[in-house]
Amino acid sequence: MLLGVMFATGARAYDSVPGDLLYPLKRAAEATVLRLAVSDAELARREMTAARQRATEAATLAGAEGPDRDRLITQALDDMARTTRSALGRVKPRGDKPDKEVGRFAREQRTMVEPLLQKLDQENRDKATKYLTYIDTFSTPVQ
């Protein structure tokens, strides 16, 4: 019974967004996973996963209503940008070829964030646009 409750709580926490009761649990679990990385490359991959989560949360929040909506979106976008910069700062270039995983990450983030622009207030639209400009420097053409 207890195991079932723990599993259900974990599943609900995983789907939580800023403002939800279980969101701090989600972020604590994520921080633990980040700390367990054994190399910079592994940490970069895990941080890219976390940045994808923040983009998903921002998209979920952009489709929601509520008095704290814009503030929560700001939080998600700020965390996404901070995590992305940390992840991409850890990536070691391989000669003159761009890293394929980073290029894929940048394209996926653009696909997630760009459609949000029309749903955001001006402050968050500016943040998202600045983020897109930043990740475009890491984007590689689809091959």
Side-chain angles (χ1 to χ4, degrees):
M1 169 92 168
L2 180 60
L3 187 58
V5 170
M6 288 173 53
F7 179 77
T9 301
R12 290 201 105 150
Y14 181 79
D15 291 333
S16 65
V17 296
D20 288 349
L21 182 64
L22 293 176
Y23 190 70
L25 178 61
K26 175 183 181 175
R27 292 302 299 266
E30 184 179 279
T32 300
V33 168
L34 291 173
R35 278 193 297 276
L36 294 175
V38 295
S39 69
D40 271 355
E42 180 62 26
L43 181 55
R45 282 191 289 279
R46 290 177 184 197
E47 287 175 326
M48 283 187 260
T49 298
R52 286 181 185 103
Q53 278 295 126
R54 301 299 84 79
T56 300
E57 292 165 4
T60 299
L61 291 165
E65 296 292 327
D68 290 337
R69 175 186 173 266
D70 291 335
R71 180 184 61 78
L72 295 171
I73 291 172
T74 298
Q75 177 185 337
L77 292 176
D78 287 347
D79 288 347
M80 178 184 69
R82 187 173 29 261
T83 305
T84 296
R85 287 187 189 282
S86 178
L88 298 182
R90 294 177 196 288
V91 175
K92 305 284 188 268
R94 296 180 186 155
D96 60 348
K97 293 186 177 185
D99 185 286
K100 289 182 182 179
E101 186 175 0
V102 171
R104 183 174 44 254
F105 166 76
R107 287 189 308 276
E108 290 170 356
Q109 287 297 91
R110 173 165 279 289
T111 300
M112 179 65 76
V113 174
E114 192 170 42
L116 299 179
L117 294 175
Q118 63 191 359
K119 299 176 184 177
L120 301 176
D121 66 8
Q122 189 61 51
E123 177 187 352
N124 285 325
R125 188 176 307 124
D126 291 345
K127 285 178 188 254
T129 300
K130 186 175 178 181
Y131 178 79
L132 291 172
T133 301
Y134 173 70
I135 64 169
D136 280 349
T137 63
F138 294 90
S139 187
T140 57
V142 177
Q143 299 180 16

